[in-house]
Each structure stands twice: as structure tokens, then as C-alpha cells.
Amino acid sequence: MSNFNYVYSLSEENYIKAIYHLSNHGQESVNTNAIAIEMNTTPASVSDMIRKLSKKKVVDYQKYRGVHISEKGKEIALKIIRKHRLWEVFLVEKLNFHWDEVHDIAEQLEHIKSPLLISKLDEFLGFPKHDPHGDPIPDENGVFSTVKKEPLCNIEAGQSCKVITVNDSSSAFLKYLDKVGISIGTTLRIDDHNEFDGSVDITINQNKSTTVSPAAAQNILVTPL
């Protein structure tokens, strides 16, 4: 990953990260309305920020084609994501926070500028590959491992799978998973898909049977075993 000076405000960094996620890791263009919804702001405010980021060569905007994040923008986004996920690991593993408590705190810590601190943090944590929610942590070069994953609702009855990550990292959803006994690494067997409401009957770690809602089954991402 190339070196460049951090000359971006907290607000600019939040926009860069949002655009990166909305663009499917930089593969697609994003319209300003989608960015406005993600950032909980107005399209006019988004347009102002896009002009600023365009001048800094972070994004490219073309009318009717939307916003496209540049290679420089991707680098910045991956640095922010790396910091966020490392801080989540630190908060859970070293300060005993619960996995549903760390996102908002990491949102603040991800804007710390010191590359040396983040390098030391990575080393201190033993170079983790995934955060507490199962999301991959980019290394200092922006490279991260990928694992084939799909929603639990796509797994056929009779198959087993392992929970890799979650689509929804909200506190409410993570508390729901705790309640039913599902976490990252949990083994699930699909017992049945209920046609009536789309819920899924599962067995957790070969010893506990339960039923998860359609929304939960869509947001639990697994890899088949």
C-alpha cells in the first residue's frame, strides 16, 4: 500500500469508508442518494463532500454515472477499516468488551492517525485475521483473506455449515444471536426450511435445536462443511 499523508478530516474519512462499502469494495459506482441514506444526511451535503473528495483524487464523479472510488480512495478506506477492526479485537480480547458493544467505540478509534501505533497494536494482538464479528482484517498492505460464504437461508436441509461472519453487526442482532447461542465459529445443521414464513430449523453444535427467523437466516453468513 502506497504512502501518503493523512490530510483528511473525520467527516471525509467517514464518507470514504461509506462509499467503499456501498461500492462493493470499489467494484461499482454509487449514487448520491444511497450515500445520503448511509450517512443520514441530505443529497446536497453529499454533493458538497463529493466535490471536496474529487479535488483530492479520492473519488471520481460523473453525472448520471454516480460516484466511483479511486485506487487512492480504496487505500484510505482499507486503512480505516483495518484500524476499526483491530480496535474491535483489542476491545473484546484485552478489555473484555462484548461483541455487541465495540462498534461505536471503534468508530471513534479508527480515526487515530499514527501508523506506528496501529502496527504495534497488530503485533500486540498477534496479527489477527478477523475481527470479533468475523470480518477480515486487511494487513498493512491492504490485503485480506477471503472465505466463501453465503446466507444461512441458502443452505439446503440436511447440510452442516460454520458461522463465518454476520451481515448485521447491530447490538440488537448480536444480542439475539447470544440469546439463541450462535457466535462466530458455531457449527449449524440445517434441519428444515419452513415454507410458511421462511424461518429455518437448525441444530447448534450438534446439541441444541432452535428456529431462527427469516431476517436472522439472511444475516448469518456461513461456509458449508
Coordinates of all heavy atoms in Angstrom, one line a residue, residues 10 21 49 58 70 82 86-87 100 130-131 167:
L10 N -12.2 13.9 9.8 CA -13.0 12.8 10.3 C -14.2 12.5 9.4 O -14.5 11.4 9.0 CB -13.5 13.0 11.8 CG -14.2 11.9 12.5 CD1 -14.0 12.0 14.0 CD2 -15.7 12.0 12.2
H21 N -17.7 0.8 1.0 CA -18.6 -0.3 1.3 C -19.8 -0.3 0.4 O -20.2 -1.4 -0.1 CB -19.2 -0.1 2.8 CG -18.2 -0.5 3.8 ND1 -17.6 -1.8 3.8 CD2 -17.7 0.1 4.9 CE1 -16.8 -1.9 4.9 NE2 -16.8 -0.7 5.6
M49 N -19.5 17.3 -0.3 CA -18.4 16.4 0.1 C -17.8 15.7 -1.1 O -16.5 15.6 -1.2 CB -18.9 15.4 1.1 CG -17.8 14.4 1.5 SD -16.4 15.2 2.3 CE -17.1 15.7 3.9
V58 N -9.8 11.3 -4.6 CA -10.2 10.2 -3.8 C -11.4 9.5 -4.5 O -11.5 8.3 -4.5 CB -10.6 10.6 -2.4 CG1 -11.2 9.4 -1.6 CG2 -9.4 11.1 -1.6
S70 N -11.6 5.9 -6.2 CA -10.3 5.7 -6.9 C -9.4 4.7 -6.1 O -9.8 4.3 -5.0 CB -9.5 7.1 -7.0 OG -9.1 7.5 -5.7
R82 N -9.0 -1.3 8.5 CA -8.0 -2.1 9.3 C -8.0 -1.6 10.7 O -8.0 -2.4 11.7 CB -6.7 -1.9 8.6 CG -5.4 -2.4 9.4 CD -4.2 -2.3 8.6 NE -3.0 -2.4 9.4 CZ -2.4 -3.5 9.8 NH1 -3.0 -4.6 9.7 NH2 -1.3 -3.4 10.5
L86 N -9.1 -3.9 14.0 CA -8.1 -4.2 15.1 C -8.5 -3.6 16.4 O -8.3 -4.3 17.4 CB -6.7 -3.5 14.7 CG -5.9 -4.3 13.6 CD1 -4.7 -3.4 13.1 CD2 -5.5 -5.7 14.1
W87 N -9.1 -2.4 16.5 CA -9.5 -1.9 17.7 C -10.7 -2.7 18.3 O -10.8 -2.9 19.5 CB -10.0 -0.4 17.6 CG -8.8 0.5 17.5 CD1 -8.5 1.4 16.5 CD2 -7.8 0.8 18.5 NE1 -7.4 2.1 16.8 CE2 -7.0 1.8 18.0 CE3 -7.6 0.2 19.8 CZ2 -5.9 2.2 18.7 CZ3 -6.5 0.7 20.5 CH2 -5.6 1.7 20.0
D100 N -21.2 -7.0 21.0 CA -22.2 -6.0 20.6 C -21.9 -4.6 21.1 O -22.7 -3.7 20.9 CB -23.6 -6.5 21.1 CG -23.7 -6.5 22.6 OD1 -23.2 -7.5 23.2 OD2 -24.2 -5.6 23.2
H130 N -9.2 -11.8 11.6 CA -10.7 -11.5 11.6 C -11.0 -10.7 12.9 O -10.4 -10.9 13.9 CB -11.5 -12.7 11.5 CG -11.3 -13.5 10.3 ND1 -10.3 -14.5 10.2 CD2 -11.9 -13.4 9.0 CE1 -10.4 -15.0 8.9 NE2 -11.3 -14.4 8.2
D131 N -12.0 -9.8 12.8 CA -12.5 -9.1 13.9 C -13.5 -10.0 14.7 O -13.8 -11.1 14.3 CB -13.0 -7.7 13.5 CG -14.4 -7.8 12.8 OD1 -15.0 -8.9 12.8 OD2 -14.8 -6.8 12.3
N167 N -24.0 -10.2 8.6 CA -24.3 -9.0 7.7 C -24.7 -7.9 8.6 O -24.5 -6.7 8.2 CB -25.4 -9.3 6.7 CG -24.8 -9.6 5.3 OD1 -23.7 -9.3 5.0 ND2 -25.6 -10.3 4.5

